[in-house]
Amino acid sequence: MNKKDEKNKILEQNNLDKISEINNDASDKMEKIVSLAKRRGFVYPSSEIYGGFAGIYDFGPMGVELENNIKNHWWKWMVQKRRDIVGLDSGIFMNPKIWEASGHTKGFSDPMAECKECNTRIRVDKVLEEIGVSADEKMSEEEINKLFDENRNKIKCPKCGKQNFSEVKKFNLLVQSNLGDFTKKGDSPAYLRGETCQGIYVNFSNVVDSIHMKLPFGIAQIGKAFRNEISPRQFLFRAREFEQMEMQYFTHPKDEMKEFEKLREYRWKAILDLGIKEENIRWKQHDNLVFYAKDAWDIEYKYPWGFDELEGIHARGNYDLTQHSEGCGKAQDYYDQEKNEKFIPHIIESSIGVGRLVFAILDNAYIEEEVKGEMRVVLRLNKKIAPVKVAVLPLSKKEELSKPALELFEKLNEKFVCQYDETQSIGKRYRRQDEIGTPYCITFDFETLEDGAVTIRDRDTMEQERIKIDELTDYLEFKLK
Ligand code: GAP
């Protein structure tokens, strides 16, 4: 059979012209993603064999690869591609005075009410938003109680359905620990950081002194953050332990808004570069700014329940370094030698949660389509971030095939993240790889022993090509670029 006939046969076998996407806006998409995430080793609920632990998730073998690829992509965009941004990895624990100076010990709270019948706690601003009443966590206790009282008759307990709630109290989200406290009194708690950026602010002068960065410049870091979320929910969207990727950009006060616009544009491009479809994201400007902020925008993603915050980009004025100057008693200012000018830099922040981004990327890539009358689930992940790039699949388990196929796997695995799979039918193996988003499957068959060529199947088109093993690395390098 010549190449053209072979291709036609493959097209025909795969019913390529009959592929149609189905159900991709279905209301049960959330459950489908959560189920795929567990089934295929992306995300597991924490401590499952002990009945779980709310608000915490474990990333499985596929999840950790995807997560690392996403973090590397962010690091490349936010540090390595930029001459004006440097990296940092600060400790999770810091002097508790930092959280006093930043305002977190007093102001980092969400409004909570408790059902008097079954003790279920609700986050009042979110529950009000769900019934179309505009509210947010920045409101005072008095303001939110007033709104809550006006709408009590519309709000039911999500567990018991009754309408008997306590008054609203602000609940502080900082997670406390007894690190370094051996007295058992608990009166001088150390906190697990509630956001990674405080580690950046308190290292601002270290970076200036050691690396001699000139304004404007940024410091970026990726790391864990912890929050006592009242009602962790919506899968990875609102967790109690999560990772943040944050960059703080220090500017002269007069440059703040110009740099803010540049950063907004840059972050939009970076999100699109991950393969997120433009119709799935949008800008939302905050209408209730904290007193020191100049402007604040979120990039929202269209999650299964609708558009919601993915990333925040905020112009924060000189609030953060002013607070720490007062807190530590040393001015956290910048001296511009050329202009002989001393001032406290203004800060622009970009902040995104790794988990929220993983969730958005899974949702964005999840496709169900009908092929030859059968449903196929495929993760159309951007090839750059797919957890596995290539799967090597011998057609038979016989040593005659499995030995050279394993050798091929070892060779390719030096360059690309590969999987070797010889279990079950080739169709089932393709489906498994489709579900984890592997861009290329290589079938090693008996003909390979004669012609030194393998069949490569493309995840998205399901088209198959016969390629000489000698040309395989170049072929894959080109395709995965
Ligand atoms: N330093 C600013 C800051 O932390 P934030 O809006 O509280 O601001 C920034 O958080 C980003 O961190 C959010 O846009 C979101 O992506 C992520 N994030 C916040 N809380 C989260 C949670 N409970 N679970 C998962 N991700 C969260």
Side-chain angles (χ1 to χ4, degrees):
M1 198 188 300
N2 69 29
K3 259 196 161 179
K4 196 169 159 225
D5 289 343
E6 195 173 310
K7 196 171 161 194
N8 282 340
K9 188 173 159 222
I10 288 157
L11 282 173
E12 197 186 289
Q13 277 170 353
N14 285 306
N15 254 4
L16 281 183
D17 53 344
K18 288 189 197 140
I19 295 176
S20 57
E21 286 187 14
I22 49 170
N23 250 346
N24 291 312
D25 279 322
S27 55
D28 55 355
K29 197 168 176 199
M30 175 84 161
E31 290 90 88
K32 286 176 172 170
I33 291 168
V34 174
S35 147
L36 174 108
K38 177 150 186 246
R39 189 169 76 244
R40 290 292 172 223
F42 284 95
V43 183
Y44 312 126
S46 164
S47 322
E48 211 182 358
I49 59 169
Y50 285 93
F53 198 52
I56 318 281
Y57 289 92
D58 298 337
F59 286 81
M62 292 307 111
V64 73
E65 290 289 344
L66 178 62
E67 215 190 17
N68 284 342
N69 294 342
I70 290 171
K71 287 193 269 184
N72 289 340
H73 180 272
W74 187 88
W75 197 255
K76 188 165 173 208
W77 273 74
M78 300 309 286
V79 180
Q80 292 165 344
K81 271 166 71 134
R82 303 277 303 236
R83 283 194 305 138
D84 56 340
I85 305 181
V86 291
L88 178 82
D89 185 11
S90 67
I92 285 176
F93 284 103
M94 296 187 281
N95 190 319
K97 285 180 190 158
I98 289 173
W99 301 107
E100 276 164 36
S102 67
H104 281 76
T105 50
K106 295 217 170 70
F108 188 47
S109 52
D110 284 338
M112 177 179 90
E114 196 167 319
C115 171
K116 289 185 185 166
E117 309 286 335
C118 71
N119 302 111
T120 295
R121 293 176 194 105
I122 57 165
R123 192 170 146 185
V124 175
D125 55 330
K126 294 288 166 200
V127 170
L128 284 169
E129 265 175 18
E130 277 162 22
I131 58 161
V133 177
S134 172
D136 72 45
E137 77 285 356
K138 293 188 228 71
M139 288 175 154
S140 70
E141 231 169 55
E142 200 184 344
E143 283 170 326
I144 198 122
N145 262 304
K146 188 164 172 281
L147 264 190
F148 189 55
D149 288 342
E150 284 164 12
N151 292 283
R152 267 175 191 271
N153 59 345
K154 295 182 215 144
I155 298 169
K156 284 191 182 144
C157 170
K159 194 164 173 207
C160 70
K162 305 253 171 64
Q163 292 186 302
N164 188 9
F165 286 104
S166 67
E167 69 174 311
V168 185
K169 287 254 179 276
K170 290 280 218 161
F171 181 81
N172 193 287
L173 302 183
L174 278 181
V175 178
Q176 296 187 3
S177 87
N178 65 348
L179 187 88
D181 175 8
F182 303 97
T183 63
K184 288 195 178 163
K185 284 197 211 142
D187 51 8
S188 56
Y191 302 99
L192 280 90
R193 65 183 172 200
E195 57 180 9
T196 55
C197 58
Q198 295 301 328
I200 297 181
Y201 304 144
V202 299
N203 277 294
F204 166 73
S205 55
N206 278 336
V207 172
V208 172
D209 294 346
S210 57
I211 311 288
H212 308 293
M213 296 298 287
K214 298 257 183 305
L215 250 49
F217 78 90
I219 305 178
Q221 108 159 303
I222 301 178
K224 290 266 181 172
F226 303 83
R227 295 183 189 178
N228 233 337
E229 294 285 354
I230 295 163
S231 53
R233 63 198 181 124
Q234 288 147 316
F235 192 37
L236 300 169
F237 185 83
R238 194 175 306 288
R240 288 184 173 146
E241 175 183 332
F242 56 99
E243 237 174 332
Q244 285 186 315
M245 304 192 280
E246 298 201 295
M247 195 280 292
Q248 309 294 314
Y249 202 69
F250 301 88
T251 70
H252 188 282
K254 74 172 171 31
D255 295 332
E256 182 177 7
M257 297 321 289
K258 180 182 76 189
E259 294 299 338
F260 181 66
E261 287 311 321
K262 279 179 13 195
L263 184 62
R264 284 212 305 133
E265 206 177 299
Y266 190 71
R267 287 303 307 152
W268 184 261
K269 276 196 203 142
I271 297 284
L272 292 180
D273 193 61
L274 284 164
I276 293 196
K277 294 173 208 132
E278 199 151 11
E279 71 254 30
N280 283 342
I281 52 174
R282 72 174 187 195
W283 283 111
K284 166 122 190 284
Q285 187 173 24
H286 289 208
D287 30 44
N288 187 9
L289 286 178
V290 277
F291 70 92
Y292 52 80
K294 297 275 179 54
D295 200 359
W297 290 77
D298 292 337
I299 298 179
E300 293 191 328
Y301 178 79
K302 195 174 165 203
Y303 288 99
W305 58 90
F307 278 100
D308 217 332
E309 179 182 341
L310 170 63
E311 163 158 2
I313 298 157
H314 303 164
R316 302 182 54 84
N318 64 4
Y319 177 78
D320 305 290
L321 291 183
T322 303
Q323 291 301 107
H324 287 303
S325 299
E326 284 167 15
C328 73
K330 282 176 240 118
Q332 299 301 297
D333 53 14
Y334 178 84
Y335 176 56
D336 185 332
Q337 269 182 334
E338 278 165 34
K339 294 188 182 132
N340 190 23
E341 189 188 5
K342 212 180 226 186
F343 55 90
I344 293 203
H346 283 215
I347 291 176
I348 301 161
E349 164 180 83
S350 84
S351 176
I352 184 164
V354 176
R356 275 195 200 181
L357 188 51
V358 167
F359 186 4
I361 281 171
L362 289 176
D363 177 87
N364 182 78
Y366 183 95
I367 301 283
E368 289 177 358
E369 57 190 17
E370 200 182 306
V371 182
K372 265 174 115 180
E374 273 185 33
M375 209 260 282
R376 125 169 145 136
V377 172
V378 55
L379 278 189
R380 289 228 173 102
L381 292 170
N382 184 315
K383 291 173 190 171
K384 280 191 283 227
I385 55 167
V388 175
K389 308 289 189 233
V390 182
V392 177
L393 315 172
L395 216 55
S396 145
K397 277 188 193 169
K398 286 190 184 144
E399 203 187 344
E400 193 186 350
L401 277 198
S402 66
K403 193 162 173 280
L406 258 175
E407 280 167 13
L408 178 63
F409 162 77
E410 302 285 356
K411 184 178 152 211
L412 294 176
N413 208 24
E414 297 271 329
K415 291 225 165 189
F416 319 99
V417 179
C418 292
Q419 265 194 3
Y420 176 85
D421 186 2
E422 56 179 28
T423 57
Q424 298 185 300
S425 73
I426 193 74
K428 285 201 173 129
R429 282 182 270 169
Y430 282 157
R431 295 290 174 263
R432 278 204 292 271
Q433 295 300 330
D434 287 344
E435 286 199 353
I436 60 169
T438 306
Y440 296 104
C441 287
I442 295 177
T443 315
F444 199 106
D445 52 31
F446 287 100
E447 259 179 84
T448 308
L449 301 176
E450 285 159 29
D451 65 1
V454 286
T455 303
I456 298 203
R457 170 189 180 267
D458 182 292
R459 174 196 70 197
D460 299 334
T461 62
M462 292 187 287
E463 231 171 274
Q464 304 194 4
E465 266 188 272
R466 199 84 186 151
I467 301 278
K468 290 276 179 210
I469 288 180
D470 294 348
E471 295 162 17
L472 208 47
T473 307
D474 287 349
Y475 174 93
L476 288 168
E477 257 168 4
F478 175 75
K479 289 283 198 177
L480 291 165
K481 233 191 327 201

